[in-house]
Structures are given as structure tokens and as C-alpha cells.
């Protein structure tokens, strides 16, 4: 039509003539139903490409509403579904289009339409009047422009190629005003794909080089989320709980924390809720999900606990972990048994598994007695923390950094 205007004019004239003929044709058997629907859809598409006047298209709709019965009902619904949204959003046709659609819905209520035609009319009306962005757009939370910009950078723009550019843009923001929201967005990354975790934590590592409290806030936020999930162990939160422990592992890998928060989370997963009235609710004997969480955390960062204070802490934790596993209903599910063999076997190939629960409890008792003889666990942990801090300053610990 841009090159040969006569082509569009000829098509429009032919369609108008056919529509006028069909409008005057009364066929109770709906012989022309398919033809009517095809013609009005064709006219609707031409209108959306500005090849057919909106006023003329609404005249066609009015003609169908004047004889709102039989195949005209299907044709009117098809026209509204095809071009109703366009007519409502065009300033020159908005008012009349809304009036015609309201007339169509009133006619639906007073005419005795069958269920099929009633559903067609309702579907066409709601398709034309749905808010921009979908049916949930009206409920979408409205945020200040600065928060929308931060979300766009972290959730949309961030990639392996753009991470340096995104970091520069975030550093230009008024940090006192934006720090809490940036932290909130980074913690929300667990709702997306797990493969994005290293990328977002790499960005957090870069930000923490300039704003150290961000790293502390991330670790505190993850630990708080893990504890909150243990207090309310709903099935719907299982995937998020897995993502939280993987996020904590990545925080250690990128040296945003030492091994203390990791082992705090590990022991929390073992001990939370035990010895209380709610033990059967928080961690029943036939529930093995905490074992999966522990294995996910160890799989994420356990390779850095090979020696030194972190290695000693892992050896101590595995003693308690063996007793915890033996206290569960035996035998363990095959997938859990295989995961334990793979993860623990990779970290400590020479570790011997206890033969019974009594054997596991005996090992725990011996460990606690040895710690008491050495001055208590607090003194041991203080020495381990000092040694680990020296190793981290010398370049040990996790294996992260800005990509």
C-alpha cells in the first residue's frame, strides 16, 4: 500500500461490499459464519495497519450489534477480539469503542445466547479491555524510578559481558539511599535460576570492595532467611531453602565471609527444633530434606575445607552429621544415600561411617570430652578464627573474585 495505494483501496472496497452483502443475508443455519468471521478479522487487521478507518470499522460493529443474533454474534465477538484493544487505545476512537462494547455486553445479557456464544462475547470483551501488560498489570507493584532502575540493572542487564558496566552504574548511585534496596534485590536472586548465583555474587563482591557493610548485610540476610525457613518448613519453600544455602556457599567462595557463617548454618540445620515440643513438626524422623540442604551447602563450598581451621571444623561437623543421619528412619532413601556417599566421599574419602546409632553417639561423646579437656569449645573456636583470618589475609579461603 505504500507503493501502490490502489491495491489497499481495492481490497477494502471488496471487503466492504462482501460485508454489506453478508449483513443483509439472513441464514439461520450459519452457512456464512466462517465467511463473516474471516471478513471482519480482515477488516480489523487492516484497521490496525491504518489501511481502514477506525470510524468505518466501528460502523461495521454497530451494524452487527443492530442484528445481534445468529452468526452476527460470532462476527461481532471476532471483530472486538481482533481490533477492540486497538480501538480502545486510539484517542480518536476510544469513547465510541467503549460505548459499543458496553452495548454488546448489555445485549449479551438480554438476548438468549447459547453458552458457546456467551463465552465468545465475554472472552472478546475481556481481551479488549485487559490492562496493558496482561491481567496482572493492574496489581503490579509500582516502585520509584530509582528502584526500577536498580532492578533493571540486576535482573535484566546483568550478564557475563556487562557485569563490569553494571558495577560502574551501581557505584554511581546515591549509596546511602540505595544500599538497602540493592541488598534486597541481591537476596531476591534466589527466586530465579540457580545458574545466575555466581554472577550476582560476583557483582556483590565488586560492590563490597567499596561498601564493606554490603557483604555483612548479605551474610546476615541469608542466615536469617535460612532460620526463618526452618521455623516454617512448608513444602512450597523447599526450592527457596535450597537456593538460600547455595547462595551462602557462593558468598564464601567469593570471600564475602569466612567459614564461621557456613558452619553456623550447618549446625543450625542439624540442631534447630530438636529438644522442643515442635520437633515432630520442624524435623520429623522420616523427613530427609535437611540432609539435602546440608549436602547442597557442602557441595557448594566444601572443597575449600581441606585443611587448616576450616578443615578441622568440617571434621568436627561430620561427626555430628553422621549421628544425625543415623538418627533418621533407616534405611535412608536411595537418592539421599547416594548423595551422602558422593558429597562426603569427595570431601573426606577416608572417613568411616558408623555402623549404628550407638556408635555415632559414642563418637560424638568422645569428641565433646576431648574438647572439654582442651579448655572448652569457645577457646578452640577463638584460636581457629585467628588462624583462619591469617590464612585469608594471606590469600587462602574461597576462590572468588570479580569476573
Amino acid at each position: 500500500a505504500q507503493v501502490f495505494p490502489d491495491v489497499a483501496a481495492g481490497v477494502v472496497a471488496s471487503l466492504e461490499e462482501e460485508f454489506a452483502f453478508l449483513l443483509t443475508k439472513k441464514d439461520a443455519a450459519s452457512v456464512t459464519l466462517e465467511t463473516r468471521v474471516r471478513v471482519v478479522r480482515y477488516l480489523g487487521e487492516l484497521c490496525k495497519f491504518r489501511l481502514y478507518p477506525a470510524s468505518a470499522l466501528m460502523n461495521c460493529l454497530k451494524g452487527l450489534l443492530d442484528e445481534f443474533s445468529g452468526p452476527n454474534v460470532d462476527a461481532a465477538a471476532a471483530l472486538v477480539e481482533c481490533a477492540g484493544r486497538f480501538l480502545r487505545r486510539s484517542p480518536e476512537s476510544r469513547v465510541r469503542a467503549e460505548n459499543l462494547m458496553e452495548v454488546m455486553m448489555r445485549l449479551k445479557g438480554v438476548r438468549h445466547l447459547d453458552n458457546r456464544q456467551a463465552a465468545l462475547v465475554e472472552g472478546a470483551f475481556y481481551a479488549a479491555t485487559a490492562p496493558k501488560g496482561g491481567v496482572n498489570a493492574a496489581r503490579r507493584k509500582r516502585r520509584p524510578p530509582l528502584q526500577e532502575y536498580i532492578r533493571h540493572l540486576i535482573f535484566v542487564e546483568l550478564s557475563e559481558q556487562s557485569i563490569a558496566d553494571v558495577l560502574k552504574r551501581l557505584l554511581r548511585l546515591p549509596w546511602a539511599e540505595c544500599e538497602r534496596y540493592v541488598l534486597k534485590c541481591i537476596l531476591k536472586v534466589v527466586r530465579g535460576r540457580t545458574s545466575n548465583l555466581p554472577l550476582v555474587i560476583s557483582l556483590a563482591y565488586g560492590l563490597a570492595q567499596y561498601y564493606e557493610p554490603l557483604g555483612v548485610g548479605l551474610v546476615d540476610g541469608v542466615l536469617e532467611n535460612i532460620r526463618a525457613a526452618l521455623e516454617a518448613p512448608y513444602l512450597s519453600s523447599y526450592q527457596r531453602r535450597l537456593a538460600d544455602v547455595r547462595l551462602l556457599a557462593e558468598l564464601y567462595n567469593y570471600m564475602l565471609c569466612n567459614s564461621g557463617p557456613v558452619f553456623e548454618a550447618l549446625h543450625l540445620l542439624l540442631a534447630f527444633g530438636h529438644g522442643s515440643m515442635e520437633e515432630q513438626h520442624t524435623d520429623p524422623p522420616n523427613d530427609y530434606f535437611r540432609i539435602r540442604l546440608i549436602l547442597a551447602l557442602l557441595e557448594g563450598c566444601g572443597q575449600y575445607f581441606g585443611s587448616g581451621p576450616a578443615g578441622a571444623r568440617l571434621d568436627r561437623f561430620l561427626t555430628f552429621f553422621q549421628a544425625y543421619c543415623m538418627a533418621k528412619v533407616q534405611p535412608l532413601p536411595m537418592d539421599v544415600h547416594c548423595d551422602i556417599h558422593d558429597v562426603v566421599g569427595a570431601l573426606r574419602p577416608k572417613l568411616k561411617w558408623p555402623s549404628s546409632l550407638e556408635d555415632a553417639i559414642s563418637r560424638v561423646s568422645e569428641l565433646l570430652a576431648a574438647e572439654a579437656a582442651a579448655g572448652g569449645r569457645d577457646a578452640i573456636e577463638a584460636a581457629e578464627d585467628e588462624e583462619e583470618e591469617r590464612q585469608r589475609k594471606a590469600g587462602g579461603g574461597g576462590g572468588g573474585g570479580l569476573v
Side-chain angles (χ1 to χ4, degrees), residues 253-276:
N253 293 343
Y254 281 83
M255 299 172 63
L256 289 171
C257 67
N258 58 19
S259 65
V262 176
F263 285 101
E264 179 183 346
L266 288 171
H267 285 283
L268 182 67
L269 291 171
L270 282 186
F272 183 84
H274 288 273
S276 66

Side-chain angles (χ1 to χ4, degrees), residues 19-328:
F19 177 79
F21 169 76
L22 293 172
L23 194 60
T24 59
K25 188 174 180 63
K26 311 294 183 181
D27 55 328
S30 302
V31 176
T32 61
L33 173 60
E34 183 177 351
T35 306
R36 291 172 191 256
V37 172
R38 173 177 55 81
V39 170
V40 297
R41 284 188 176 275
Y42 206 150
L43 289 172
E45 294 296 337
L46 288 173
C47 180
K48 289 192 286 187
F49 280 91
R50 307 288 183 179
L51 297 176
Y52 190 61
S55 58
L57 185 64
M58 287 187 289
N59 288 337
C60 296
L61 178 58
K62 185 177 183 304
L64 293 170
L65 295 178
D66 290 341
E67 296 291 338
F68 199 63
S69 61
N72 284 349
V73 177
D74 298 72
L79 192 153
V80 171
E81 182 179 7
C82 177
R85 189 177 180 84
F86 171 80
L87 294 174
R88 285 189 70 254
R89 300 190 70 82
S90 299
E92 66 275 9
S93 60
R94 178 181 179 87
V95 175
R96 189 182 178 193
E98 289 180 346
N99 291 336
L100 288 173
M101 291 181 199
E102 290 177 3
V103 169
M104 183 180 70
M105 293 301 290
R106 286 199 296 268
L107 289 174
K108 167 189 165 290
V110 299
R111 301 292 174 89
H112 297 290
L113 304 180
D114 58 39
N115 293 335
R116 182 188 66 83
Q117 288 184 327
L120 281 176
V121 172
E122 286 185 1
F125 177 79
Y126 291 121
T129 57
K132 185 178 180 181
V135 295
N136 293 324
R139 299 194 297 268
R140 190 168 296 158
K141 185 177 180 180
R142 293 186 177 181
R143 302 178 179 87
L146 189 57
Q147 292 185 4
E148 291 288 357
Y149 179 64
I150 293 172
R151 292 175 65 87
H152 176 74
L153 290 178
I154 295 177
F155 298 136
V156 179
E157 290 289 331
L158 187 61
S159 65
E160 292 184 2
Q161 293 75 28
S162 65
I163 184 170
D165 183 56
V166 171
L167 175 61
K168 291 179 182 178
R169 295 187 193 182
L170 289 175
L171 290 174
R172 295 192 188 113
L173 297 175
W175 195 250
E177 180 182 351
C178 301
E179 180 179 4
R180 292 183 62 183
Y181 195 75
V182 171
L183 176 62
K184 181 179 178 180
C185 290
I186 293 176
L187 289 174
K188 280 186 176 181
V189 74
V190 298
R191 300 182 182 180
R193 293 181 298 177
T194 308
S195 58
N196 291 339
L197 283 179
L199 196 61
V200 177
I201 299 306
S202 180
L203 176 67
Y205 173 82
L207 291 171
Q209 304 308 302
Y210 299 90
Y211 304 107
E212 186 174 349
L214 178 70
V216 178
L218 276 174
V219 176
D220 289 343
V222 174
L223 291 176
E224 183 178 345
N225 290 342
I226 293 174
R227 185 178 188 89
L230 292 177
E231 292 174 353
Y234 302 121
L235 289 174
S236 58
S237 66
Y238 276 11
Q239 291 301 317
R240 186 174 298 180
R241 291 163 67 185
L242 272 173
D244 283 331
V245 298
R246 287 169 178 157
L247 178 59
L248 180 59
E250 292 296 335
L251 288 174
Y252 177 80
N253 293 343
Y254 281 83
M255 299 172 63
L256 289 171
C257 67
N258 58 19
S259 65
V262 176
F263 285 101
E264 179 183 346
L266 288 171
H267 285 283
L268 182 67
L269 291 171
L270 282 186
F272 183 84
H274 288 273
S276 66
M277 296 294 294
E278 298 182 353
E279 180 175 347
Q280 291 295 325
H281 170 66
T282 57
D283 189 27
N286 59 346
D287 184 12
Y288 307 94
F289 189 69
R290 288 197 188 186
I291 296 178
R292 294 186 174 93
L293 292 176
I294 291 170
L295 294 176
L297 183 51
L298 291 177
E299 185 179 17
C301 60
Q303 66 270 24
Y304 299 112
F305 302 152
S307 60
R313 288 179 174 179
L314 178 60
D315 293 335
R316 179 179 186 273
F317 170 76
L318 289 177
T319 302
F320 290 94
F321 180 60
Q322 289 176 329
Y324 177 82
C325 293
M326 296 302 296
K328 289 292 183 180

Side-chain angles (χ1 to χ4, degrees), residues 315-328 330 332 337 340 344 348 350-366:
D315 293 335
R316 179 179 186 273
F317 170 76
L318 289 177
T319 302
F320 290 94
F321 180 60
Q322 289 176 329
Y324 177 82
C325 293
M326 296 302 296
K328 289 292 183 180
Q330 301 294 323
L332 298 176
H337 176 78
I340 293 175
V344 178
R348 294 294 185 268
K350 299 181 180 180
L351 181 67
K352 294 183 178 179
W353 203 260
S355 58
S356 63
L357 177 59
E358 291 73 16
D359 186 16
I361 294 176
S362 174
R363 296 184 185 186
V364 171
S365 301
E366 292 175 2

Side-chain angles (χ1 to χ4, degrees), residues 381-396:
E381 284 187 351
E384 289 176 347
D385 288 340
E386 292 179 2
E387 178 63 23
E388 183 177 4
E389 189 62 28
R390 284 196 296 268
Q391 290 185 359
R392 286 172 62 81
K393 290 180 178 180

